[in-house]
Amino acid sequence: VENLKGHDDHVWSIDMNKEYIVSGSWDSSVRIWDRDEGRIMFLYTHPHGREISGVKISGKRILVTSLAGSLNVLKRVGRGSFIVERFFPGSMELGEIYSLACDTKHVITGHTLTNSAFKIWSADNFDVVKIIKEESNESIIWNIHLKYPLALICRDNECLDLYNLEAAECVK
């Protein structure tokens, strides 16, 4: 057991694979740690200085979301070497992103402004596949587990929803 130190605020999101650990913090940074040595391999700071709300490893990419509503794509280009491949700025219409999930074909971000919304992206080219806006009271989407077309949604209103993303409806 080893403590990985480096963030200046609480860590909000984590992920790992066999080679590295990724941590996203409210200090606006993402740190990619060598899993064997515990050293920082790469440091990414959000360009708008906003809190990091999600990190997910997806093949050679690391997906990063923030409370600015942005999706950032980091790409591994060599051992311990990453670049910012894409940056998708936030949408004033959808608001902050609090949650992120992905599978081999889809990426989903959970947004909160005045109502909750989901944005579904293609995992291949990051085209937006669908936006689902809910017509309910605001609730923060804290966590998403994705098995497309189903998504398990954890909210701040003490509800756990099973969503059919293709039908854009809550199943349970």
Side-chain angles (χ1 to χ4, degrees), residues 4-7 9-16 20-33 40 42-44 52-57 62 64 74:
L4 303 176
K5 296 181 181 178
H7 287 290
D9 204 336
H10 64 279
V11 173
W12 188 262
S13 185
I14 55 173
D15 201 3
M16 72 176 181
Y20 47 88
I21 297 168
V22 181
S23 58
S25 169
W26 278 38
D27 66 6
S28 305
S29 75
V30 173
R31 295 173 192 269
I32 303 171
W33 311 81
I40 295 174
F42 187 80
L43 171 64
Y44 171 74
I52 302 300
S53 58
V55 295
K56 290 288 181 200
I57 298 170
I62 298 173
V64 179
L74 308 179

Side-chain angles (χ1 to χ4, degrees), residues 21-115:
I21 297 168
V22 181
S23 58
S25 169
W26 278 38
D27 66 6
S28 305
S29 75
V30 173
R31 295 173 192 269
I32 303 171
W33 311 81
D34 181 282
R35 196 167 150 178
D36 293 330
E37 299 174 15
R39 66 175 174 79
I40 295 174
M41 299 167 49
F42 187 80
L43 171 64
Y44 171 74
T45 302
H46 190 275
H48 300 126
R50 289 300 309 267
E51 301 89 339
I52 302 300
S53 58
V55 295
K56 290 288 181 200
I57 298 170
S58 179
K60 291 187 176 191
R61 294 177 168 141
I62 298 173
L63 309 176
V64 179
T65 55
S66 75
L67 292 190
S70 64
L71 172 65
N72 312 269
V73 182
L74 308 179
K75 183 177 181 181
R76 183 176 179 183
V77 292
R79 176 148 174 80
S81 184
F82 296 83
I83 61 168
V84 178
E85 179 183 25
R86 306 280 297 270
F87 176 81
F88 299 94
S91 162
M92 295 296 289
E93 180 184 345
L94 298 178
E96 299 175 326
I97 296 176
Y98 279 87
S99 52
L100 166 68
C102 62
D103 61 18
T104 57
K105 294 185 180 182
H106 300 90
V107 175
I108 184 170
T109 50
H111 299 255
T112 301
L113 189 58
T114 54
N115 292 10

Side-chain angles (χ1 to χ4, degrees), residues 94 109 124 128 133 160:
L94 298 178
T109 50
D124 293 329
V128 176
K133 294 181 183 177
L160 187 63

